[in-house]
Amino acid sequence: MSEIRRVIAHLDIDAFFASVELQRHPEAHGLPLVVAGAGPRAVVTTANYEARRYGIDSAMPAARARSLCPQAIFIAPDFAAYRAKSHEVWEIVRARFNTVGQVGIDEAYLDLTAIPKPLAPLRALVGELRERTGMTVSVGVGPSRLVAKTASASFKPAAFVAMSREQAVSHFASHPVQLLQGIGPKTAGRLAELDLRSVGDLQRADVTLLGGRFGERLAKALHARAHFYDDSPVEVVRVAKSRSSELTFPTDVSDTGRLEEALVQLARELADGLRVRARRARTVAVKVRLDDWTTVTRARTLERFTDESETIATTALALLRAYAPPRPVRLLGVRVAAFEDELARERDEAPGYQLALPI
Ligand SMILES: [Mg+2]
């Protein structure tokens, strides 16, 4: 694989939501703090490092977190506050560096290739962020996104680590393969069947043998990742025009109750995705594909921007009921469009201005 010479940094705000809450609740400093909703199905949105010591982690049911550490301070998430803080942080970063590709509410890649000695300004940025926003950022620097991200993720919090590809190859060899971005539990499971468990195992694996199991293309890609080859560029992401969540039923569904239940679930997933990405939208649409492949879309524009699953679900349900599918349903979808940021951008009309918000 040819190597493109790049210098890339990955910036990740440490325990982001918890850090914002700590600023607003200074009495909680040094104590375990968990941000989680209150409902029966609520999950942990984030936990500070004191709470993580008790085994609490993101996406864990809130009830389980409470039993692991009953003395922790539990706070309901305030996404508007996180959005505002995120905006503050990345505006400062964009004011200092040109190529900023935001990939989440609290993380972004920077392409520093054009900067002669990038570590000094990068360190200055970390200090400036701490001073002006109160946020601590972990930084990984390397010749690729893969090295940069792996470094920041492995050494956080308050990491500032630069690594060459070769250093990453030897340093992470003993780590489980799932350390590598793009290798999830499913692929890790299939690799384990070949007795390949660590990054080092995968580095030493025979590509032909891997090809027999994964196909030649994926085998080569996995092997390359284990050797920390990655030539993906930092993309200053454009705003997505819409987001959707769809479900194709295993067998066509006529039962109204089942359809509505599925629709509410889709609306929930969609709203979760919006909140994670700090987006709010005004238009809600449902898509219904019948068993004869007739596809119908119905949309409604709301009075206000929303990321609430209740609002999205209620609107989607009203649209579905108004349509009343005349035949069994094959596919159901919920979509939101007309995002807040997008409209703000249209108002700004600054030439060449690009919003680098996550899609
Ligand atoms: Mg983070």
Side-chain angles (χ1 to χ4, degrees):
M1 184 178 284
S2 69
E3 255 179 295
I4 303 164
R5 222 201 79 73
R6 285 197 176 105
V7 181
I8 291 173
H10 179 256
L11 270 63
D12 188 342
I13 309 174
D14 293 331
F16 178 48
F17 296 172
S19 301
V20 176
E21 294 300 348
L22 274 176
Q23 277 189 330
R24 309 198 301 173
H25 303 271
E27 72 279 6
H29 262 282
L31 302 172
L33 180 138
V34 177
V35 180
R41 291 158 54 100
V43 294
V44 173
T45 312
T46 191
N48 67 354
Y49 291 95
E50 283 80 0
R52 288 178 198 193
R53 253 177 244 138
Y54 290 85
I56 298 174
D57 214 343
S58 300
M60 170 184 288
R64 171 142 174 75
R66 274 176 212 280
S67 69
L68 282 171
C69 184
Q71 72 274 31
I73 298 169
F74 283 79
I75 295 174
D78 178 350
F79 290 100
Y82 311 149
R83 258 197 307 274
K85 181 60 76 174
S86 167
H87 188 75
E88 211 184 296
V89 167
W90 300 116
E91 278 306 296
I92 294 172
V93 177
R94 280 189 205 100
R96 299 281 172 265
F97 293 91
N98 286 328
T99 313
V100 180
Q102 204 179 330
V103 289
I105 192 168
D106 68 338
E107 54 176 315
Y109 291 97
L110 275 56
D111 191 324
L112 309 172
T113 310
I115 303 172
K117 286 186 174 167
L119 294 187
L122 203 53
R123 249 191 218 287
L125 173 72
V126 171
E128 185 181 358
L129 288 175
R130 188 176 299 136
E131 237 165 71
R132 289 178 59 191
T133 71
M135 295 291 114
T136 309
V137 171
S138 282
V139 181
V141 182
S144 64
R145 289 172 45 148
L146 182 60
V147 173
K149 163 99 184 181
T150 313
S152 73
S154 304
F155 292 97
K156 70 185 177 185
F160 195 95
V161 182
M163 282 185 148
S164 66
R165 186 191 65 81
E166 292 80 0
Q167 284 170 324
V169 165
S170 68
H171 184 87
F172 297 115
S174 61
H175 288 64
V177 287
Q178 283 197 64
L179 177 80
L180 300 170
Q181 248 205 324
I183 300 189
K186 218 169 138 187
T187 308
R190 292 174 68 194
L191 286 167
E193 287 166 21
L194 298 175
D195 222 18
L196 304 173
R197 290 186 169 80
S198 70
V199 174
D201 291 340
L202 189 53
Q203 288 167 359
R204 290 182 295 271
D206 183 285
V207 186
T208 318
L209 174 96
L210 273 179
R213 188 77 175 82
F214 292 93
E216 196 190 344
R217 245 183 85 190
L218 183 53
K220 280 186 177 160
L222 288 170
H223 201 247
R225 279 193 107 58
H227 287 276
F228 285 88
Y229 285 111
D230 166 33
D231 58 10
S232 63
V234 174
E235 286 169 316
V236 181
V237 186
R238 282 181 179 279
V239 175
K241 293 279 183 216
S242 70
R243 287 191 61 80
S244 62
S245 154
E246 289 188 355
L247 170 70
T248 302
F249 295 106
T251 53
D252 302 337
V253 174
S254 312
D255 181 72
T256 311
R258 270 190 67 198
L259 288 175
E260 294 190 349
E261 204 177 292
L263 196 68
V264 169
Q265 185 57 39
L266 288 169
R268 262 196 208 125
E269 284 170 24
L270 194 57
D272 289 347
L274 287 177
R275 287 195 296 267
V276 167
R277 290 168 179 80
R279 309 296 307 278
R280 293 195 298 174
R282 258 183 79 187
T283 301
V284 178
V286 297
K287 173 174 160 186
V288 184
R289 180 169 294 148
L290 305 174
D291 63 342
D292 64 354
W293 282 79
T294 309
T295 305
V296 174
T297 307
R298 293 280 186 275
R300 178 174 297 169
T301 296
L302 306 168
E303 297 276 310
R304 311 169 58 161
F305 292 102
T306 190
D307 59 6
E308 287 165 21
S309 47
E310 268 304 303
T311 311
I312 297 170
T314 313
T315 312
L317 276 176
L319 290 165
L320 180 70
R321 284 174 187 157
Y323 169 55
R327 300 176 59 92
V329 173
R330 181 188 160 81
L331 173 150
L332 205 53
V334 182
R335 192 172 71 225
V336 291
F339 290 114
E340 191 170 36
D341 309 304
E342 196 181 311
L343 300 176
R345 180 177 58 167
E346 278 164 21
R347 276 199 306 275
D348 283 354
E349 281 183 311
Y353 177 62
Q354 275 189 322
L355 261 180
L357 279 166
I359 46 169

